[in-house]
Amino acid sequence: MNLKNKVLETIRQNNLIQPKEKVIVAFSGGPDSVCLLHLLHELKAELDIKLYAFHLNHQIRGLDAHRDAWYCLSLCDEYDIPFFVDSTDVPGYAQNMKMSLEEAARDVRYKKLFYLKSILNADKIAVAHNMDDQVETVLMRMMRGTGLYGLKGMEQLLSNGIIRPLLSVQKKEIIEELEQNGIHWQVDTTNQEDNYTRNKIRLSMILLMEECYPTAKENIFRMSASIREDSQYIEQNAMSFFEENHTLINSNTVKLELDDFFDMDLAIQKRSVRYSINVVLHSLKGIETVHLDSVIQLAKRYGDAQINLPKNLTVYKKQSALYFSTEELKEDILSFFYELEQNETIDISEISTEIETKVLLKDKNFMLSTGAYKKAFDFDKVSGRLFVRSREAGDRIKPMGLEGTKKIKNIFIDAKVPLAERNRIPIICDEAGNILWVVGHCISEEFKIDETTKKVILITVKQEND
Amino acid sequence: MNLKNKVLETIRQNNLIQPKEKVIVAFSGGPDSVCLLHLLHELKAELDIKLYAFHLNHQIRGLDAHRDAWYCLSLCDEYDIPFFVDSTDVPGYAQNMKMSLEEAARDVRYKKLFYLKSILNADKIAVAHNMDDQVETVLMRMMRGTGLYGLKGMEQLLSNGIIRPLLSVQKKEIIEELEQNGIHWQVDTTNQEDNYTRNKIRLSMILLMEECYPTAKENIFRMSASIREDSQYIEQNAMSFFEENHTLINSNTVKLELDDFFDMDLAIQKRSVRYSINVVLHSLKGIETVHLDSVIQLAKRYGDAQINLPKNLTVYKKQSALYFSTEELKEDILSFFYELEQNETIDISEISTEIETKVLLKDKNFMLSTGAYKKAFDFDKVSGRLFVRSREAGDRIKPMGLEGTKKIKNIFIDAKVPLAERNRIPIICDEAGNILWVVGHCISEEFKIDETTKKVILITVKQEND
C-alpha cells in the first residue's frame, strides 16, 4: 500500500477527520510537516475537507528561519492552500517565562494554533508526529519515570481537536515519499542543536536498539498502542470509582470517601489519590510514587492523622475519608470521639445529642424497657473503657442474631443512609475496638444479655430535636 | 540503612520467607549470588531459617568452571552451609534440545534446583537477580515486543517458591557490600562473551540512558513495579471473565462464549483470546497482536466463519461462541439455519423440532388461538424471506409492550436458561435481520397484529418430545 492510502486508512479507521471539516496543518517546513501537508493536499477531495497551513517563525535561527518561512509560503502557493505566518520572539518569551527554548517554542506554537483555530472556526489541528517521535517520547518518559499513563505515548486524536495522521508512519517512509515525489524540505537546524536528549535518543539509543533487535522501533510502537487499551480500561474504572467517592468541599479541598476504598485494587486506589491531588493542585508535577504510597499508608491508619506533600498540599485522614487541601482544614468537618463514663450523661455538641449510661445489677426479677435509642448490654463483656465516636473506615460489628461480622458501611448502604448523614451516627465501642452499637441501626451479638449476665449497662441516646 | 537491613525489610514486607523455612540459594560464585549467600547467612538467625547452597558446573568454561565450584565450596564451608554441587554437559544438552547455550543452562539449572528442593523438602529457592537485571529484562522484552505482562518484569516471589530478595538492590550496592566485607567473588567469563544482547544493553544502552537521565535505572525499575499493580488488576478481571465464559470441550478445543464479550473493554477481550489460545497451545510463542486483532474481527462477524493462526490453530466463530482448536471442529456443536417457506413444515433435526407456517388473511371476524409455541405476526411487516436459526452474539429484539430493544442474551439470563440450552432455542428472523420471535420466550413489538394488519403468518413450533 502506498503512503497516501495508508494515511487515508488511518484517518478513516480512527475517525480523525469528518467530511466538510476545516483542518489547519502545523507547518514548520521540515520533512514531517511537508509530507503531512502534501498527503492531506492529495487527499483533500477524497476526504472532502478544507485545508489551511500555519507557520511560526520562532526567531531562534535568524536568516535560516526566514528561508523556512519563505519555503512554506511557496509550497502553500503551489498547492493553493491558505497560508498563515506569525513571528514571535521565542528566546525572549522563554526568558520571561523561565522555560527552556524547547518548551517555550511548543507553548507559543500551540497558543497561536488554537487562536487561529478559533478565528477560522476550524475543526482540527494536524501535527506531523511520526512513529519515530512516538518511540522517542515513550523512551524519554520511561527514563524520566512514568507509569501506564506515560507509556501509552501520544494519541492520534485529542478532544481539543489535535490530530496526528502520521503517527504510525516511520520517518524513513516519510523521506521516501518526499524523494519519490521530488518534494523539497527544509532541514531544521535547531533539531540538531537544541534538544540534546531527544537527539541522543534518536541518534544513538534507537540505533543501538535496532542493532540488538531490528524491529525494536515497531515493537515499542506496538507496545504503546496495546498499553493505550490497558490504560483506558484502568483509567475508566478508576475514574468512575473516583467520581462516586469524592466531593469538592471548596476550590482548594477534595474529600475522598474511604468506605469502599480498600475493596478496590491498589491500581484503583493509587489513581483515586492521583485524581484527588490533581483536582486540588491542577497538576501532578512533583508528585511521585513515594507520595502516593504514603497517602495509602495514611488511609490505613486508625484514628485521625495527616501528612504533608509537596506544593503545600496536606492530606488529612478523618474518620472514613481523606481530605486533600492546600489550606487549613475547617473544623466543621464532622468527627467526634468521647469517653462514656459509668452513670453519667455526656453532650455531643457536634451532633446535638446526649448520651446517658446507667450500670444496673441484674437479679431474677430484672426487667428493662428498651427501644431503638435505648439499649442494654452485658457490662462484664466490655473490655476496658467505653467510647462514643463517629465511624471509621473498616468498622465492623457482629450483628445480633447473625453469624460473623458485617461492615458498618454495608449496614448504612442497606438502610439507605446518605453519605452526608453517616458521620452523624454515633458508634459505641469499647477499648478493644469492639463495636457494641451502631445507634439506631444495629447492636452486637457479642454484648447481648443472657442467663450469665450479672451487670448491665443501659445506654440512652437523646437527640435534641427529638 | 545498610544493605543487610534493606534486604531484611524487603523480605519481611513482601513475605518472601517465613520462620522455620528451608531456603536453597542458587549459587554461581559470581558477585550477586555471593552477596545473596552472605546476606542470608548474616540474617539466618534473625529470619530463623535453614540455608542450603546449590552450584551447577555448566561444563562450558573448562578449568574456570572448576575454579568457581571450588570457590563456592570453600565459602559454604566457611559459613557452615550445606553445599550441593552438580555437573551437566550443558553444551551437549543445548545441541540435543536445539536451544541456545543460555537457554539450556537456565533450563538445566532450574530443573536441578527444583529436584534438590523436592529432595530436601525445601520451601524456597533464592536467586540473585538485582535491579540492574530487572531493568535489562524490561528493556529486552520491550525491544522484542511486549505488553503490560512483560513490562512488569521479574517478580520477587513466585508461587513455585522462587524468591528474589536482591531485586531492588543495585549492582553497585552489591559490589560495595562485598568490598566492604572483604569477600571475594568469581568473574563469570561467560557473562562477557555469551549473551551478546544482554551485554550490549548492560554495557552501552543503560550507560547512554544514565547520561541523559542519571536516575534512569531507578525510574525504569519503579515503572515496572507500578505496572505490576496495573497488570495484576487487569489480569484478575480478565481471568475472572475468562473463567466464567470458557469451556474446555476437549484437550485440543476451547469454547469462548461471546454473550458478554462485547460488553467488555478491548483490554479484557484481547486477554480472553490470549488465555484461550494458551489453554490450547500451552504457550503464546508466535502469537502476535495482529493475530489477536484478527480473532476480535472474527468474533464480530455475523454468521459462521473461521481463521487460521500459527501452530496449526484454527479459530471458529459459530453462533455466539468462538472455538479455538488444533483439530477439525466436530459437527455436533449445535448450529442451525433454515429458510421458513410459506405454508410449509420444516424439520430441524438438530433440535428435534418441527416448524409449521400458515399465511392467513385477516378479516373482521379474524380469530386465532395462540400459545407459548404458536404465535401470529403481521406478514406485511416482514422484510423478504423468513428464517429460523440458532442464536448469534449480539442478537436483539424489540419485546412486545416494551420501549426499545433488549439483548436476547439478557432474556435468557432473566429466564435462567442455562448456557448449554441457549443454542437449542429457535430464533425466527426476517431477511433484514429483525427478530420476530425467540421461541418460548419473547415476541417482537415490530411484527404485532393491529387494526391495519391484512395478512397474518401463524408459526407453530412442535418439539418431538412434546
Side-chain angles (χ1 to χ4, degrees):
Chain A
M1 199 183 329
N2 68 24
L3 194 60
K4 190 177 99 177
N5 288 332
K6 185 176 170 180
V7 169
L8 179 63
E9 207 179 277
T10 300
I11 290 172
R12 291 209 163 135
Q13 270 181 0
N14 300 283
N15 294 311
L16 299 190
I17 313 177
Q18 312 302 325
K20 309 286 177 209
E21 285 194 337
K22 294 178 179 176
V23 179
I24 303 169
V25 176
F27 188 32
S28 73
D32 304 338
S33 67
V34 168
C35 185
L36 177 62
L37 191 82
H38 150 71
L39 291 175
L40 287 179
H41 173 65
E42 298 251 303
L43 292 168
K44 205 160 103 173
E46 214 156 340
L47 289 169
D48 187 17
I49 55 171
K50 184 120 188 60
L51 268 186
Y52 305 86
F54 172 76
H55 178 82
L56 180 68
N57 180 348
H58 298 88
Q59 297 183 19
I60 303 178
R61 296 174 305 109
L63 273 181
D64 277 348
H66 289 290
R67 183 206 61 193
D68 290 353
W70 190 254
Y71 174 74
C72 290
L73 170 62
S74 67
L75 196 65
C76 287
D77 235 33
E78 190 188 321
Y79 287 164
D80 198 19
I81 292 172
F83 178 70
F84 298 84
V85 64
D86 199 342
S87 181
T88 300
D89 172 18
V90 168
Y93 181 85
Q95 214 165 10
N96 278 341
M97 305 295 285
K98 289 175 184 149
M99 287 174 165
S100 71
L101 263 186
E102 171 88 358
E103 278 177 307
R106 196 181 173 285
D107 201 38
V108 172
R109 200 162 58 240
Y110 277 104
K111 268 186 191 145
K112 301 266 179 187
L113 277 164
F114 279 107
Y115 178 65
L116 183 61
K117 179 170 177 266
S118 71
I119 286 180
L120 292 174
N121 199 18
D123 304 284
K124 298 285 158 64
I125 295 170
V127 295
H129 294 114
N130 59 44
M131 188 192 287
D132 295 55
D133 298 322
Q134 179 75 304
V135 171
E136 288 157 28
T137 299
V138 168
L139 289 174
M140 276 175 76
R141 289 184 182 174
M142 205 179 72
M143 290 185 276
R144 269 200 314 241
T146 192
L148 215 51
Y149 193 81
L151 279 177
K152 69 185 184 181
M154 298 178 280
E155 310 264 3
Q156 281 187 321
L157 172 64
L158 292 178
S159 55
N160 61 7
I162 289 181
I163 57 172
R164 296 190 170 95
L166 298 187
L167 203 56
S168 55
V169 174
Q170 293 202 45
K171 182 78 170 192
K172 63 178 185 216
E173 294 175 272
I174 288 174
I175 301 296
E176 270 171 31
E177 174 75 15
L178 294 178
E179 283 174 347
Q180 275 171 18
N181 289 275
I183 303 170
H184 297 283
W185 67 86
Q186 302 305 108
V187 176
D188 183 353
T189 48
T190 52
N191 242 9
Q192 262 98 56
E193 297 153 14
D194 207 40
N195 191 338
Y196 172 80
T197 305
R198 190 177 276 273
N199 277 301
K200 196 149 195 166
I201 295 172
R202 181 177 305 164
L203 302 174
S204 309
M205 201 176 300
I206 291 183
L207 287 183
L208 202 59
M209 288 182 165
E210 288 180 325
E211 273 175 41
C212 295
Y213 300 98
T215 58
K217 204 157 63 186
E218 291 96 313
N219 294 343
I220 295 173
F221 182 78
R222 243 187 289 116
M223 171 192 85
S224 74
S226 105
I227 283 192
R228 209 165 304 139
E229 293 162 13
D230 294 342
S231 171
Q232 194 183 341
Y233 174 72
I234 301 192
E235 298 287 340
Q236 267 172 7
N237 284 301
M239 191 44 90
S240 83
F241 174 80
F242 177 68
E243 287 298 341
E244 278 172 28
N245 288 279
H246 89 282
T247 326
L248 193 63
I249 304 262
N250 59 47
S251 63
N252 299 318
T253 311
V254 160
K255 176 183 183 183
L256 182 64
E257 301 283 348
L258 294 176
D259 288 324
D260 297 319
F261 192 75
F262 294 106
D263 295 343
M264 307 306 288
D265 213 282
L266 206 50
I268 303 297
Q269 292 176 12
K270 287 201 180 163
R271 279 176 175 76
S272 306
V273 170
R274 287 181 60 215
Y275 299 154
S276 302
I277 295 173
N278 195 39
V279 167
V280 178
L281 297 184
H282 309 289
S283 152
L284 286 164
K285 266 198 182 165
I287 301 300
E288 294 172 15
T289 316
V290 52
H291 301 128
L292 301 183
D293 288 339
S294 61
V295 176
I296 305 283
Q297 287 310 314
L298 176 71
K300 285 182 185 162
R301 296 258 296 263
Y302 184 82
D304 293 359
Q306 67 187 67
I307 55 168
N308 297 314
L309 295 192
K311 317 256 166 170
N312 198 28
L313 179 69
T314 306
V315 188
Y316 304 85
K317 158 103 193 319
K318 278 189 178 282
Q319 310 110 58
S320 61
L322 291 178
Y323 296 83
F324 299 78
S325 187
T326 50
E327 56 187 46
E328 192 72 31
L329 203 60
K330 296 232 171 52
E331 272 314 311
D332 62 0
I333 287 160
L334 201 63
S335 162
F336 54 90
F337 193 99
Y338 295 94
E339 186 173 346
L340 280 180
E341 298 206 44
Q342 294 176 39
N343 301 312
E344 294 215 357
T345 298
I346 65 156
D347 178 35
I348 310 171
S349 57
E350 290 90 339
I351 53 170
S352 310
T353 295
E354 274 184 6
I355 301 193
E356 183 192 271
T357 59
K358 268 189 203 155
V359 176
L360 310 164
L361 291 178
K362 177 170 167 266
D363 58 23
K364 266 188 298 187
N365 303 314
F366 183 77
M367 290 270 290
L368 264 179
S369 109
T370 61
Y373 290 90
K374 186 176 184 183
K375 296 282 182 192
F377 304 89
D378 187 331
F379 196 49
D380 292 318
K381 292 176 182 159
V382 170
S383 302
R385 295 175 296 168
L386 274 179
F387 302 97
V388 55
R389 61 164 171 83
S390 43
R391 72 199 177 109
E392 290 278 349
D395 273 349
R396 304 187 79 100
I397 190 171
K398 286 197 181 172
M400 178 80 93
L402 289 181
E403 287 283 315
T405 65
K406 193 169 177 178
K407 285 188 183 171
I408 303 247
K409 178 186 90 187
N410 291 329
I411 291 171
F412 289 156
I413 290 171
D414 294 349
K416 298 197 168 52
V417 181
L419 270 176
E421 288 301 310
R422 293 183 192 174
N423 284 352
R424 306 184 64 83
I425 294 172
I427 309 277
I428 313 286
C429 65
D430 69 7
E431 208 164 343
N434 296 310
I435 293 174
L436 285 72
W437 187 13
V438 181
V439 175
H441 291 276
C442 182
I443 59 172
S444 167
E445 178 77 25
E446 290 181 292
F447 298 91
K448 78 173 174 192
I449 292 166
D450 55 32
E451 314 84 64
T452 68
T453 304
K454 289 185 191 106
K455 247 161 111 184
V456 166
I457 182 156
L458 181 70
I459 307 177
T460 310
V461 177
K462 287 179 207 159
Q463 274 158 344
E464 259 170 36
N465 50 355
D466 279 1
Chain B
M1 197 182 332
N2 67 24
L3 195 59
K4 190 177 99 178
N5 288 333
K6 186 175 170 181
V7 170
L8 179 63
E9 205 179 278
T10 300
I11 291 172
R12 292 208 164 136
Q13 270 182 1
N14 299 283
N15 293 312
L16 300 189
I17 313 177
Q18 311 304 324
K20 308 288 175 206
E21 286 193 338
K22 295 177 178 176
V23 180
I24 303 168
V25 176
F27 188 31
S28 73
D32 304 337
S33 66
V34 168
C35 185
L36 178 61
L37 191 82
H38 150 71
L39 290 175
L40 287 180
H41 172 64
E42 298 251 304
L43 292 167
K44 207 159 102 174
E46 214 156 342
L47 289 168
D48 187 17
I49 56 172
K50 183 118 187 62
L51 268 186
Y52 304 86
F54 173 75
H55 178 82
L56 179 68
N57 179 347
H58 297 89
Q59 297 182 18
I60 303 179
R61 296 174 303 107
L63 274 182
D64 275 348
H66 288 290
R67 185 207 59 194
D68 290 353
W70 190 255
Y71 173 74
C72 290
L73 171 62
S74 68
L75 196 65
C76 286
D77 235 34
E78 190 188 323
Y79 286 164
D80 198 19
I81 292 173
F83 177 69
F84 298 84
V85 63
D86 200 342
S87 180
T88 301
D89 173 18
V90 169
Y93 182 84
Q95 211 165 12
N96 279 341
M97 305 296 284
K98 288 174 183 147
M99 288 173 163
S100 71
L101 263 186
E102 171 88 357
E103 278 178 306
R106 196 181 173 285
D107 201 41
V108 171
R109 199 163 57 239
Y110 278 103
K111 269 187 190 145
K112 301 265 179 187
L113 277 165
F114 279 106
Y115 178 65
L116 183 61
K117 178 170 178 267
S118 72
I119 286 180
L120 293 175
N121 199 18
D123 304 283
K124 299 285 159 63
I125 294 170
V127 295
H129 295 114
N130 59 43
M131 188 192 285
D132 295 55
D133 298 323
Q134 179 75 303
V135 172
E136 287 157 30
T137 299
V138 168
L139 289 173
M140 277 176 76
R141 289 184 183 173
M142 208 179 72
M143 291 185 276
R144 267 199 318 239
T146 192
L148 215 51
Y149 193 82
L151 280 178
K152 68 184 183 181
M154 298 178 280
E155 310 265 2
Q156 280 187 320
L157 171 65
L158 291 178
S159 55
N160 61 9
I162 288 180
I163 56 171
R164 296 189 170 96
L166 298 187
L167 203 56
S168 54
V169 174
Q170 292 202 46
K171 183 77 169 195
K172 64 179 181 212
E173 294 175 273
I174 288 173
I175 301 296
E176 270 170 30
E177 174 74 15
L178 294 178
E179 284 175 347
Q180 276 171 14
N181 289 275
I183 303 171
H184 296 284
W185 67 86
Q186 303 304 109
V187 176
D188 183 353
T189 48
T190 51
N191 242 8
Q192 262 98 56
E193 297 153 14
D194 208 39
N195 192 337
Y196 171 80
T197 305
R198 191 176 275 272
N199 278 299
K200 196 148 196 167
I201 295 172
R202 181 176 306 163
L203 302 174
S204 310
M205 200 175 299
I206 292 183
L207 288 185
L208 202 58
M209 289 183 165
E210 289 180 324
E211 274 176 41
C212 295
Y213 301 97
T215 58
K217 205 157 63 186
E218 292 96 312
N219 294 343
I220 295 173
F221 182 77
R222 244 188 287 114
M223 172 192 85
S224 74
S226 104
I227 283 193
R228 209 165 304 140
E229 293 161 14
D230 294 342
S231 170
Q232 194 183 342
Y233 175 72
I234 301 192
E235 298 287 340
Q236 266 172 7
N237 284 302
M239 191 44 90
S240 83
F241 175 80
F242 177 68
E243 287 298 339
E244 279 171 27
N245 289 280
H246 90 282
T247 327
L248 193 63
I249 304 261
N250 60 47
S251 62
N252 299 317
T253 310
V254 160
K255 177 182 183 184
L256 181 65
E257 302 284 347
L258 295 176
D259 287 324
D260 298 320
F261 192 73
F262 294 106
D263 295 342
M264 307 307 288
D265 212 282
L266 206 51
I268 303 297
Q269 292 176 10
K270 287 200 180 163
R271 279 175 176 76
S272 306
V273 170
R274 287 180 61 215
Y275 299 154
S276 302
I277 295 173
N278 195 39
V279 168
V280 178
L281 297 183
H282 308 291
S283 152
L284 287 163
K285 267 198 181 165
I287 302 298
E288 295 172 15
T289 318
V290 51
H291 301 128
L292 302 183
D293 288 339
S294 61
V295 175
I296 305 282
Q297 288 309 315
L298 176 71
K300 286 181 185 161
R301 295 257 297 263
Y302 184 83
D304 293 359
Q306 66 187 68
I307 55 169
N308 297 314
L309 295 193
K311 317 255 166 169
N312 198 29
L313 179 70
T314 307
V315 189
Y316 304 84
K317 159 103 190 323
K318 278 189 177 283
Q319 311 108 56
S320 61
L322 291 178
Y323 297 83
F324 298 79
S325 187
T326 50
E327 56 186 46
E328 192 72 31
L329 203 60
K330 297 233 170 50
E331 272 315 310
D332 61 2
I333 288 160
L334 201 64
S335 164
F336 54 90
F337 192 98
Y338 295 95
E339 185 173 347
L340 279 180
E341 299 207 42
Q342 294 176 38
N343 301 312
E344 293 216 356
T345 298
I346 66 154
D347 179 35
I348 310 171
S349 57
E350 290 90 339
I351 52 168
S352 310
T353 295
E354 274 185 7
I355 302 195
E356 185 193 88
T357 60
K358 267 189 205 153
V359 175
L360 310 163
L361 291 177
K362 177 168 167 269
D363 56 24
K364 269 187 295 184
N365 303 314
F366 183 78
M367 292 269 290
L368 263 180
S369 109
T370 60
Y373 291 90
K374 188 175 184 182
K375 296 284 182 195
F377 305 90
D378 186 331
F379 197 49
D380 292 317
K381 291 176 182 161
V382 170
S383 303
R385 294 175 296 168
L386 274 178
F387 303 96
V388 56
R389 61 164 172 82
S390 44
R391 74 197 175 110
E392 290 277 350
D395 273 350
R396 302 186 81 100
I397 190 170
K398 286 197 182 170
M400 178 80 93
L402 288 182
E403 288 283 314
T405 64
K406 193 167 176 178
K407 284 189 184 173
I408 303 247
K409 178 187 88 185
N410 291 330
I411 292 172
F412 289 156
I413 291 172
D414 294 348
K416 299 195 168 54
V417 181
L419 270 176
E421 288 302 308
R422 294 183 192 174
N423 284 352
R424 305 185 64 84
I425 293 171
I427 309 277
I428 314 286
C429 65
D430 69 8
E431 209 163 344
N434 295 312
I435 293 174
L436 287 71
W437 187 12
V438 181
V439 175
H441 290 276
C442 182
I443 60 172
S444 168
E445 177 78 26
E446 289 181 292
F447 298 91
K448 77 173 174 191
I449 293 165
D450 55 32
E451 315 82 62
T452 68
T453 304
K454 291 186 190 106
K455 249 162 110 184
V456 166
I457 183 156
L458 181 71
I459 307 177
T460 311
V461 177
K462 288 179 205 157
Q463 274 158 343
E464 259 172 36
N465 51 353
D466 277 0

